[in-house]
Amino acid sequence: MPSLDQALRAALAARENLLAVLHAQGTDCYRLFHGSQEGAPGLTVDRYGPQLLVQSFHQPLEADDLHSIVGSVEACLGQPLLLVYNDRSKSNSRIDRDPTLFQAEDAALEDMVSREWGLNYRVRGRHAGQDPLLFLDLRNARGWVKANSAGKAVLNLFAYTCGVGLCAAAGGASEVINLDFAQGNLAVGQENGALNPELPTMQFIQSDYFPAIRQLADLPISSRRGQKLPSYPRLQPRQFELVFLDPPAWAKSAFGTVDLLRDYQSLLKPALLATAEGGTLVCCNNLAKVEMSDWRAQVLRCAEKLGRQVQDCQVIVPAPDFPSQDAKPPLKTLILHL
Ligand SMILES: C[S@@+](CC[C@H](N)C(=O)[O-])C[C@H]1O[C@@H](n2cnc3c(N)ncnc32)[C@H](O)[C@@H]1O
């Protein structure tokens, strides 16, 4: 087993060309070390613009290791970065609890702006949520949306901080609707819109997925065992030329359960129906234990059952800053041309 220092140096060397490409395309946020695949399971090192985010998931880092990571990355990039270290190895821990190990400067914990595909994004190294407000492994899918949205009405489902919507707006979409049930996430999406004032404005719908997509798809909304449902925004049935479906692995609400392992169909079916004939549905599954071949077959079967013929099905893989030894990255993305 190589030392952490050796593994990190190898990872940085392997990214030399990629980093040049990313910088040239206006991207300054990427994964520098993907520990599970590069020799240190449970450790990730990400750059988000001016910030370096180191996260440990299995055990806390030694102070020497942390300092040597920062030294190697700064030498590789030729610039200083503001370090945030989140030790998440204890239950739900997001803070460097041991001040003798490391304490982030106040400046490092402030809200920052990072760039991807030439667009500005709000990033925050430490907050109540899981992620610094932008999932880096979805970069290639966002790039695809930016390149394929011109003139299209785009529906971004499970929008989170609306990165996909922002790419659609930048790609010339005629209309962009971002849908998520978390107002805090949509508020960051609005901030992302404001950070790119040259783009047309996006729309935001705060709603649970199930009632929203079922109304758009013109399907009934049924309550479970006759229970009274919470109120939800009313929407007219309609279809979109481009629909992006990127749900979390599991989430339960009063309206239904998002369960990517056991029931992808109940998410996919209404999303397919809300996609126009001749339109495109991009769908994702980020659950590592789901095999691409099984999931792809399930997706195609669901479309067939609905009588929606898939003209073409393409795969988007994460960029090489998310290497995968077995060529089975956890995040799987399919583009269905209907
Ligand atoms: C994994 S993130 C999606 C990532 C996102 N597509 C992106 O581009 O980064 C999950 C999002 O789903 C939202 N969510 C989870 N369950 C939901 C539901 N039942 N209805 C609407 N949104 C939901 C969460 O609020 C969160 O923003």
Side-chain angles (χ1 to χ4, degrees), residues 135 138 142 156-161 163-164 179-182 185 207-210 244 246-248 251 253 258 286:
F135 287 103
L138 203 65
R142 281 189 289 267
N156 180 21
L157 299 163
F158 299 96
Y160 186 46
T161 53
V164 167
L179 189 138
D180 199 286
F181 68 8
N185 294 345
S207 171
D208 192 281
Y209 175 74
F210 292 103
F244 197 97
D246 177 25
S253 74
V258 175
N286 63 17

Side-chain angles (χ1 to χ4, degrees), residues 279-294:
T280 306
L281 172 71
V282 182
C283 54
C284 304
N285 190 326
N286 63 17
L287 210 57
K289 60 182 152 193
V290 173
E291 289 272 340
M292 171 59 108
S293 54
D294 295 342

Side-chain angles (χ1 to χ4, degrees), residues 57-205:
F57 297 83
H58 294 176
Q59 67 267 328
L61 277 175
E62 301 287 330
D64 284 353
D65 285 335
L66 192 56
H67 290 122
S68 109
I69 290 170
V70 178
S72 300
V73 169
E74 290 187 342
C76 165
L77 295 176
Q79 67 179 98
L81 295 172
L82 291 157
L83 174 64
V84 174
Y85 170 49
N86 293 341
D87 173 34
R88 293 165 60 171
S89 62
K90 297 177 201 89
S91 63
N92 209 24
S93 155
R94 301 252 161 79
I95 48 169
D96 39 7
R97 285 171 196 279
D98 180 357
T100 59
L101 173 61
F102 175 74
Q103 237 173 350
E105 293 168 35
D106 289 347
L109 296 173
E110 282 172 11
D111 281 7
M112 295 185 194
V113 175
S114 186
R115 285 173 67 74
E116 188 195 83
W117 297 111
L119 299 171
N120 296 323
Y121 286 92
R122 168 65 68 225
V123 291
R124 194 174 296 149
R126 186 178 297 156
H127 64 107
Q130 285 281 342
D131 170 90
L133 306 180
L134 188 67
F135 287 103
L136 297 176
D137 54 353
L138 203 65
R139 182 192 317 115
N140 277 353
R142 281 189 289 267
W144 186 93
V145 168
K146 190 164 177 251
N148 290 277
S149 291
K152 296 180 182 166
V154 177
L155 176 64
N156 180 21
L157 299 163
F158 299 96
Y160 186 46
T161 53
C162 310
V164 167
L166 203 65
C167 280
S174 59
E175 184 183 1
V176 179
I177 297 183
N178 296 290
L179 189 138
D180 199 286
F181 68 8
Q183 181 48 38
N185 294 345
L186 292 177
V188 177
Q190 278 163 327
E191 230 182 311
N192 282 335
L195 287 169
N196 296 274
E198 70 288 0
L199 299 185
T201 48
M202 304 186 282
Q203 296 172 60
F204 303 88
I205 298 178

Side-chain angles (χ1 to χ4, degrees), residues 299-328:
V299 165
L300 295 178
R301 212 164 38 240
C302 178
E304 194 185 324
K305 269 203 213 158
L306 280 179
R308 298 302 305 267
Q309 211 182 341
V310 177
Q311 310 291 344
D312 187 32
C313 175
Q314 292 163 253
V315 174
I316 307 179
V317 290
D321 52 334
F322 285 81
S324 163
Q325 303 291 351
D326 59 1
K328 291 179 179 172

